[in-house]
Amino acid sequence: MDYEYAPLRLPPNVDRVTATAQLAIQAEFSGWELARVRLFRDGTRQVVLRRRVNSQSQPGLSY
């Protein structure tokens, strides 16, 4: 299967609940799923989302 990936970086002032809500919205409305999360010592989260590539257009990420 072919996937497209979208790397995101969440700043340290974004708490876990807010990050979860933002990612859930992207999953619900844009078809993204969580591929990887890395938490750094300074509190920054590096998130990689992925979704299957298909011929129909899907909305992009909203930042």
Side-chain angles (χ1 to χ4, degrees), residues 5-35:
Y5 293 89
L8 299 173
R9 187 171 286 268
L10 300 175
N13 63 343
V14 176
D15 64 351
R16 188 177 196 165
V17 174
T18 305
T20 301
Q22 290 177 348
L23 296 174
I25 290 169
Q26 293 299 328
E28 179 72 24
F29 296 106
S30 300
W32 293 99
E33 63 184 36
L34 189 62

Side-chain angles (χ1 to χ4, degrees), residues 2 6 10 21-22 25 29-30 45 51-52 57 61-62:
D2 292 330
L10 300 175
Q22 290 177 348
I25 290 169
F29 296 106
S30 300
R45 287 179 178 86
R51 69 178 171 188
R52 290 183 186 169
S57 65
L61 286 173
S62 60

Side-chain angles (χ1 to χ4, degrees), residues 21-54:
Q22 290 177 348
L23 296 174
I25 290 169
Q26 293 299 328
E28 179 72 24
F29 296 106
S30 300
W32 293 99
E33 63 184 36
L34 189 62
R36 182 178 349 149
V37 176
R38 291 180 64 192
L39 179 61
F40 295 98
R41 288 183 184 201
D42 67 351
T44 303
R45 287 179 178 86
Q46 182 181 12
V47 178
V48 178
L49 302 176
R50 73 176 184 180
R51 69 178 171 188
R52 290 183 186 169
V53 176
N54 62 19

